[in-house]
Amino acid sequence: MNNVLVAINAKYIHSNLACLSLKSYAASQGQHAQIAEYTINQPMQQILADLFRHNPDVLFFSCYIWNMELVQEVTREFHKINPSIPIYLGGPEVSFRAEEYVTEHPEINGVMVGEGEVPFTKICQFYDRIGDFDQIPGLVWLTENGHVQVQPQGMPLPLDEIPFCYPSLKGLEHKIIYYESSRGCPFSCTYCISSIDKHLRFRSLDKVCQELQFFLDNNVPQVKFIDRTFNCNPEHALGIWRYILEHDNGVTNFQFEIAADLLKADHMRTLSKMRPGLVQLEIGIQTTNFETIREIHRTMSVGRVEEAVTAVRKMNNIHQHLDLIAGLPYEDYESFQNSFEDVYRLEPDQLQLGFLKVLRGSYMYDHAEEYGLVYTDKPPYEVLQSRWVTYGQMLNLKLVEEMVETYYNTGQFRTTLPVAETMYETAFEFYLHLGAFYASFGWLNNKVSRLHKYVLLLQLIKNTAPELFELAQETLLYDYYLREKAKKRPKWAPDLSGRKKEIARALRLLGYEQKYCDLQPFTIPVWDVKRGMPFPKKGEERWVLFDYEKRDVITNNATVTILDELPT
């Protein structure tokens, strides 16, 4: 039988662990499957044609909020051209509305609810004339007389019974590798459907370490753990982190989603020893409003989170990504600004300002009317307004989100931002005004070049706080050359055309090739700019050597050397 698992990913660089896992488990039970991977950016007709050429006997689609509309279109059109081919769906986007879906979409033969390894394998066996259709656990289908049939889900598989789904890395050379060492979540966050699965279980540490060694031996660039709360079992997390530390290949990076307030002293000691870039952490703070935390059923100590994040930042070897969610119950516009400021002060490497998604199956979905949640009918079901935040206020938060992505998360303005933020009472106000500045000239809807982003920020500073203009010119120049050797010199930079020979001679004497580095003069020691500290004053000319062959693993910035004068 030609069973085809269809994965429509958000980006080309992504891979689909669910399909890989289903294929792997089915193979262990004697059933063959192949995976057809696409992205949401591909035309529907292209996907349709390629699926037809696969000549499937049965089609299975992996469904998520980012691909559901395209999945619906593809399945509908495929059924038109080949109605004899059975089509099944699985994944979180259909698991919580399976009965509704099979009723409204006659082109679908059934929906697999919950974990898919066993139902997928048993469907394959059924078409291979092994087993009964009405005994497939977790399957929902429409009978010939129009009755919805729901088969109860079976007990979840022990994770050790699912074979390692990367027998080779062929076809995955340029993709992110996803891995899970646990399933389920011990917490009950009301916006998350992972909280519904209370069957928390772990892959044995021996198996995990053996499988991680495969990635290490193959110098995989990045492995992302999809465990919902990786460190909910402290010993399990510690065992994996110790193994990664002891077997570091100098190349592979591992990403984990953790609860910062659950970090223990031995976790901290182990993390502090990691090679810079070996590990990165994603931490969902979501809010610092205590009433909101209680209402969304979070068990989180804000104080402990702040202590842990600060301690990890001071290690200076681990990239931290912190998350906030706008639109949560009891979080009004002013309260969200406070949450933003609380998290911003922690100086994460990335700050993701996300918006509540009202997901089917979640507690939030069931209580949407009570909370006054208005959200989009189509995926991703993003909140538009609530009892606490108006649509207009939500648009302001969108402006802040876009500016944070552009100016903070890119890491390209880290010296200038502490200067620019002082123009307003809070960082939130700065990003809001910057977003409004963009919008006033129509730049929000246009692609802005990297250089022009610097020019726009400098213009806002000149308009708002001209006393900071001279300092901002130098901080922006420093930021600009920290990231890369510029092909085009910024207009606000001093003219060095008469000093080219002097600079070239100095580089030769320093033993550097000009194409891999740069030398720039500064009259303000902008490298000393720190948040909350007095800004440095103008003084004697000093030179900065930017070495692009030696970069900071965490920031990707060039290594800098400060010179009091050029060698002659």
Side-chain angles (χ1 to χ4, degrees):
M1 296 292 295
N2 187 16
N3 303 300
V4 178
L5 286 156
V6 184
I8 304 178
N9 302 320
K11 296 179 181 179
Y12 171 78
I13 198 172
H14 295 171
S15 56
N16 188 298
L17 181 59
C19 287
L20 289 166
S21 186
L22 266 60
K23 176 183 176 181
S24 179
Y25 181 76
S28 73
Q29 305 300 307
Q31 295 298 315
H32 172 75
Q34 61 173 312
I35 298 174
E37 282 199 271
Y38 311 97
T39 77
I40 57 174
N41 300 312
Q42 290 180 254
M44 186 280 297
Q45 290 279 12
Q46 186 181 100
I47 297 174
L48 184 67
D50 190 69
L51 281 179
F52 182 81
R53 294 187 191 104
H54 272 77
N55 194 28
D57 292 311
V58 191
L59 276 175
F60 300 84
F61 286 80
S62 183
C63 304
Y64 303 89
I65 55 175
W66 62 80
N67 70 6
M68 195 62 225
E69 289 190 84
L70 187 52
V71 166
Q72 288 177 340
E73 194 177 3
V74 172
T75 54
R76 185 168 56 246
E77 302 306 326
F78 191 91
H79 183 72
K80 288 179 185 176
I81 61 176
N82 208 334
S84 64
I85 303 299
I87 300 174
Y88 293 88
L89 307 183
E93 185 51 26
V94 290
S95 283
F96 299 100
R97 55 171 179 149
E99 296 179 46
E100 168 194 332
Y101 203 89
V102 296
T103 302
E104 296 177 356
H105 296 271
E107 70 274 13
I108 303 302
N109 292 72
V111 170
M112 299 178 289
V113 175
E115 295 184 14
E117 283 87 359
V118 172
F120 169 71
T121 300
K122 289 191 175 296
I123 292 172
C124 294
Q125 290 172 338
F126 168 76
Y127 286 103
D128 201 23
R129 295 180 172 78
I130 306 171
D132 298 322
F133 189 80
D134 59 3
Q135 296 300 312
I136 297 173
L139 186 64
V140 177
W141 72 97
L142 201 63
T143 63
E144 291 182 0
N145 61 9
H147 175 69
V148 176
Q149 187 72 30
V150 179
Q151 189 67 17
Q153 297 181 56
M155 285 298 295
L157 284 171
L159 291 193
D160 279 4
E161 291 186 14
I162 301 174
F164 184 50
C165 58
Y166 294 102
S168 80
L169 296 172
K170 185 177 180 181
L172 297 168
E173 294 87 354
H174 305 292
K175 299 198 177 203
I176 296 170
I177 299 297
Y178 296 96
Y179 181 81
E180 62 181 351
S181 71
S182 67
R183 281 188 188 174
C185 184
F187 304 114
S188 302
C189 302
T190 62
Y191 51 82
C192 181
I193 56 176
S194 295
S195 63
I196 298 168
D197 182 4
K198 295 304 179 187
H199 295 96
L200 177 61
R201 64 254 193 239
F202 299 85
R203 205 164 177 83
S204 65
L205 200 54
D206 286 345
K207 269 188 175 294
V208 171
C209 294
Q210 179 184 351
E211 291 163 359
L212 294 184
Q213 191 59 50
F214 173 78
F215 299 136
L216 291 164
D217 290 343
N218 284 277
N219 290 325
V220 170
Q222 186 176 56
V223 177
K224 284 192 175 184
F225 277 65
I226 65 166
D227 303 45
R228 299 314 303 156
T229 307
F230 173 75
N231 61 327
C232 64
N233 180 327
E235 291 304 315
H236 180 79
L238 183 61
I240 291 173
W241 281 340
R242 281 178 171 167
Y243 187 87
I244 289 170
L245 173 63
E246 293 165 5
H247 296 80
D248 178 20
N249 61 6
V251 175
T252 304
N253 163 268
F254 296 89
Q255 178 174 309
F256 304 90
E257 187 172 337
I258 69 162
D261 54 330
L262 298 183
L263 288 172
K264 309 294 184 185
D266 45 7
H267 291 147
M268 290 296 196
R269 282 191 293 271
T270 302
L271 290 172
S272 69
K273 299 174 184 176
M274 299 285 192
R275 162 182 60 85
L278 174 57
V279 163
Q280 60 190 60
L281 303 177
E282 181 172 352
I283 300 166
I285 296 179
Q286 322 310 11
T287 179
T288 60
N289 180 314
F290 292 107
E291 191 174 9
T292 300
I293 291 170
R294 183 177 62 250
E295 185 65 23
I296 62 175
H297 303 171
R298 291 272 283 177
T299 55
M300 178 183 75
S301 165
V302 174
R304 178 71 188 105
V305 168
E306 291 177 348
E307 289 174 9
V309 169
T310 301
V312 171
R313 188 185 77 238
K314 288 179 178 177
M315 294 175 189
N316 209 29
N317 65 335
I318 292 174
H319 179 284
Q320 290 190 100
H321 175 130
L322 305 186
D323 295 333
L324 281 170
I325 297 178
L328 294 172
Y330 296 98
E331 181 97 277
D332 61 20
Y333 187 63
E334 183 179 353
S335 166
F336 185 82
Q337 292 182 53
N338 294 334
S339 289
F340 179 90
E341 292 299 319
D342 289 340
V343 174
Y344 194 82
R345 279 195 297 270
L346 297 176
E347 299 186 46
D349 297 287
Q350 281 198 303
L351 197 172
Q352 181 175 327
L353 198 171
F355 291 79
L356 176 65
K357 311 295 189 294
V358 186
L359 303 176
R360 292 171 183 266
S362 69
Y363 178 97
M364 195 70 69
Y365 176 83
D366 294 336
H367 292 76
E369 186 175 349
E370 172 190 341
Y371 296 141
L373 297 176
V374 177
Y375 55 94
T376 58
D377 289 333
K378 293 183 178 181
Y381 315 114
E382 187 170 284
V383 68
L384 300 171
Q385 63 184 42
S386 72
R387 271 176 50 194
W388 298 272
V389 182
T390 67
Y391 180 61
Q393 290 171 334
M394 204 67 79
L395 291 179
N396 282 347
L397 298 183
K398 285 284 184 181
L399 282 181
V400 172
E401 176 202 25
E402 185 156 350
M403 292 301 100
V404 167
E405 282 296 317
T406 302
Y407 283 91
Y408 187 88
N409 287 343
T410 58
Q412 296 172 0
F413 302 85
R414 289 297 170 91
T415 314
T416 305
L417 288 178
V419 176
E421 290 160 16
T422 63
M423 297 189 298
Y424 303 93
E425 289 189 9
T426 65
F428 181 92
E429 283 186 61
F430 160 65
Y431 288 108
L432 180 60
H433 281 83
L434 181 58
F437 184 67
Y438 262 63
S440 68
F441 292 97
W443 288 317
L444 280 177
N445 300 319
N446 295 319
K447 189 177 177 72
V448 181
S449 71
R450 176 173 174 253
L451 178 57
H452 199 49
K453 291 171 186 174
Y454 286 77
V455 173
L456 294 177
L457 180 54
L458 186 61
Q459 186 63 51
L460 177 65
I461 294 171
K462 184 178 182 181
N463 293 354
T464 309
E467 70 277 8
L468 296 174
F469 181 67
E470 187 177 31
L471 173 60
Q473 283 182 302
E474 296 223 358
T475 58
L476 280 168
L477 190 67
Y478 185 74
D479 280 332
Y480 191 68
Y481 281 98
L482 264 178
R483 189 51 63 95
E484 63 180 304
K485 185 177 175 66
K487 295 178 182 177
K488 184 178 180 181
R489 187 163 180 77
K491 290 182 179 179
W492 75 86
D495 183 10
L496 297 180
S497 57
R499 307 184 74 176
K500 287 185 178 180
K501 289 183 179 179
E502 180 186 4
I503 292 170
R505 173 178 169 79
L507 286 173
R508 286 197 302 272
L509 290 173
L510 290 167
Y512 285 88
E513 288 189 50
Q514 197 161 2
K515 64 180 179 178
Y516 298 124
C517 63
D518 212 325
L519 266 174
Q520 292 293 326
F522 293 86
T523 57
I524 302 175
V526 293
W527 45 88
D528 291 333
V529 169
K530 298 286 188 300
R531 275 188 179 84
M533 301 292 289
F535 296 137
K537 303 296 183 181
K538 190 171 182 176
E540 297 295 321
E541 179 182 80
R542 299 170 76 184
W543 290 79
V544 176
L545 173 69
F546 298 90
D547 186 345
Y548 302 112
E549 286 196 304
K550 297 176 183 176
R551 291 182 179 270
D552 185 295
V553 175
I554 305 298
T555 66
N556 200 36
N557 286 337
T559 298
V560 300
T561 303
I562 312 300
L563 306 172
D564 289 331
E565 58 183 18
L566 291 184
T568 57

